[in-house]
């Protein structure tokens, strides 16, 4: 048997004191294989600030996780680092409901399936280095113009919502 996963928590102390919260506040490497292979974005570290609590036959995990990630900007392809914070509240049960709750063992809980799902759902699919990234450096990518996937309406480019807010302000002031 390999070394126990850092995501497996002994819950016997929690079962002795229902309603008492126990912190799961640690920084861990992501579970293996947690990456969006299509976008080449991968989690590089996870910082947990969770509280675990037994209530009846269930265990509740709530709090937040900060996902450090790395991946290429979708326009200029330069590698970007970022941190995405996610609030969560999840329930673990002896007989989990598929897609809604997670499995709770007799004396322990394995948080990894939850972590895997939360991270994969919240990794940025197409990071941008900054909102106004101009795209590929023409010297480095002379012919590979990569347009955004959305269809572009040439006659009516979508207004930047920040500009819209500004013009509204101006209008109100006059
Ligand atoms: Zn960029």
């Amino acid at each position: 048997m390999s070394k126990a996963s850092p995501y497996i928590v002994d819950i016997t102390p929690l079962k002795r004191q229902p309603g008492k919260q126990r912190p799961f506040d640690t920084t861990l490497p992501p579970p293996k294989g947690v990456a969006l292979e299509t976008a080449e974005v991968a989690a590089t570290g996870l910082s947990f600030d969770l509280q675990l609590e037994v209530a009846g036959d269930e265990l509740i995990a709530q709090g937040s996780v900060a996902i450090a990630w790395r991946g290429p900007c979708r326009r200029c392809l330069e590698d970007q680092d970022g941190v995405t914070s996610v609030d969560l509240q999840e329930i673990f049960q002896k007989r989990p409901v598929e897609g809604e709750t997670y499995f709770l063992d007799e004396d322990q809980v394995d948080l990894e399936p939850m972590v895997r799902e939360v991270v994969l759902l919240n990794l940025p699919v197409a990071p941008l280095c900054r909102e106004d990234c101009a795209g590929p450096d023409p010297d480095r990518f002379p012919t590979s113009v990569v347009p955004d996937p959305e269809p572009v309406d040439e006659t009516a480019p979508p207004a930047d919502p920040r500009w819209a807010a500004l013009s509204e302000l101006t209008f109100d002031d006059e």
Side-chain angles (χ1 to χ4, degrees), residues 23-41:
F24 183 81
D25 48 358
T26 180
T27 298
L28 293 172
K32 277 207 169 58
V34 174
L36 296 180
E37 288 174 20
T38 50
E40 296 174 354
V41 178

Side-chain angles (χ1 to χ4, degrees), residues 72-78 80 127-130 132-136:
C73 168
R74 72 171 182 258
R75 290 189 189 147
C76 69
L77 309 180
E78 295 287 349
Q80 303 303 312
L128 270 179
C129 62
R130 55 176 203 268
D132 61 348
C133 173

